[in-house]
Amino acid sequence: PILLDTKDTEAIIRTVVHIAPTFSAIQLEDISAPRCFEIEARIQEQLDIPVMHDDQHGTACVVTAALLNISREVGCGTLKKCRIGQIGLGAAGMAIAKMLMYISGKPVLGTDLSAAAMDRLEVHGGKRSTLGEIMESSDVVVATTGAPGLIRPSMVRKGQIILALSNPKPEIEPAVAREAGAAFSLDGKSVNNVLGFPGIFRGAVDADVPRITQDMLVAAAQAIADHAPAGEVVPNPLDKDLHKKVARAVARVALDKGLNRDDLTGYFD
């Protein structure tokens, strides 16, 4: 890890670009929205190695993996059939909404205190909504607001899937949500980015790609979901086989789509 003693957007971009020749890939951490969107995009534009803001895309991968497994067991069957609501459209929330829309092919309902965040969601194909509307109409609710207790038990609709992911205190405690009628509820303690980023970066570097695509991230999410033991939503992050499978899934997509720069014949032998 390299720590930067600045929150200035231009200083962060300049620093990362200047040190990039040392590295095969760049992982960005702990950069708040909306700066994170510009910083990631501009660094990637200037570099020919993968750049990924883990708070966005790592979180989205793991949340998606969890929902792929949960939706098969309870609720609406598959994510493509679910009506999805995203409460909080910061770094993680926006990336989650974008990935779920990419997988489902349907708009995600989203709400945030920031009008600019709501506008950004609409640009990416989402639908502006309210907390009340999301709780009333969504089969799946994901919350990343940092506001403990935001979701009251009276708001929970019977049969909903609720992922209240703010740490250390969620928008609603899982046990409280289930008592109020949720079919399944989870907090942020189980949705850990370490399930995703080691394999994502290993696969991207092994495949020698200049950037990480949405298809590669979806492949990572599916690999995480598929590796979960029976009865579990996601695998144990200390399972080394998990990270190998994520890496191979990411690299497989990159090679199938011709994103790699070199001939990697035999990579999967």
Side-chain angles (χ1 to χ4, degrees), residues 55 87-88 176 184 211 217 249 252-253 264:
D55 299 303
I87 305 170
V176 173
F184 192 96
R211 62 193 60 228
L217 294 172
R252 177 79 273 171
V253 168
L264 296 175

Side-chain angles (χ1 to χ4, degrees), residues 14-88:
R14 284 197 307 271
T15 302
V16 174
V17 169
H18 286 317
I19 66 172
T22 305
F23 303 101
S24 298
I26 299 289
Q27 174 173 317
L28 303 173
E29 283 277 1
D30 297 332
I31 304 174
S32 62
R35 292 179 305 130
C36 62
F37 306 120
E38 179 184 1
I39 288 171
E40 181 189 49
R42 287 179 56 193
I43 291 174
Q44 183 64 88
E45 286 173 1
Q46 296 181 57
L47 300 180
D48 64 349
I49 59 174
V51 177
M52 188 180 91
H53 182 213
D54 189 41
D55 299 303
Q56 291 184 64
H57 311 297
T59 304
C61 279
V62 181
V63 169
T64 299
L67 286 175
L68 286 169
N69 284 336
I70 295 167
S71 63
R72 280 198 290 260
E73 300 298 326
V74 298
C76 45
T78 70
L79 285 180
K80 290 186 178 181
K81 296 180 180 179
C82 293
R83 187 172 176 85
I84 301 170
Q86 172 64 46
I87 305 170

Side-chain angles (χ1 to χ4, degrees), residues 211-223:
R211 62 193 60 228
I212 295 169
T213 67
Q214 191 76 296
D215 286 328
M216 293 163 69
L217 294 172
V218 170
Q222 188 66 63

Side-chain angles (χ1 to χ4, degrees), residues 120-143:
R120 191 176 297 112
L121 176 72
E122 289 187 317
V123 167
H124 291 293
K127 183 179 178 182
R128 187 183 297 257
S129 188
T130 65
L131 174 62
E133 182 184 5
I134 287 172
M135 295 306 301
E136 288 173 7
S137 64
S138 296
D139 303 304
V140 174
V141 176
V142 182

Side-chain angles (χ1 to χ4, degrees), residues 214-236:
Q214 191 76 296
D215 286 328
M216 293 163 69
L217 294 172
V218 170
Q222 188 66 63
I224 295 168
D226 291 345
H227 198 68
E232 299 292 333
V233 174
V234 292
N236 186 322

Side-chain angles (χ1 to χ4, degrees), residues 114-233:
S114 165
M118 302 273 270
D119 293 341
R120 191 176 297 112
L121 176 72
E122 289 187 317
V123 167
H124 291 293
K127 183 179 178 182
R128 187 183 297 257
S129 188
T130 65
L131 174 62
E133 182 184 5
I134 287 172
M135 295 306 301
E136 288 173 7
S137 64
S138 296
D139 303 304
V140 174
V141 176
V142 182
T144 54
T145 65
L150 177 68
I151 299 174
R152 299 189 301 276
S154 60
M155 296 176 174
V156 177
R157 184 166 58 81
K158 185 175 177 59
Q160 276 181 323
I161 298 169
I162 298 178
L163 273 58
L165 302 180
S166 293
N167 282 319
K169 292 185 178 296
E171 288 79 2
I172 186 169
E173 293 290 344
V176 173
R178 290 192 292 270
E179 289 172 6
F184 192 96
S185 186
L186 189 71
D187 62 19
K189 298 180 182 69
S190 301
V191 183
N192 193 314
N193 293 3
V194 76
L195 287 162
F197 73 80
I200 294 170
F201 275 102
R202 180 75 270 167
V205 171
D206 285 351
D208 192 28
V209 295
R211 62 193 60 228
I212 295 169
T213 67
Q214 191 76 296
D215 286 328
M216 293 163 69
L217 294 172
V218 170
Q222 188 66 63
I224 295 168
D226 291 345
H227 198 68
E232 299 292 333
V233 174

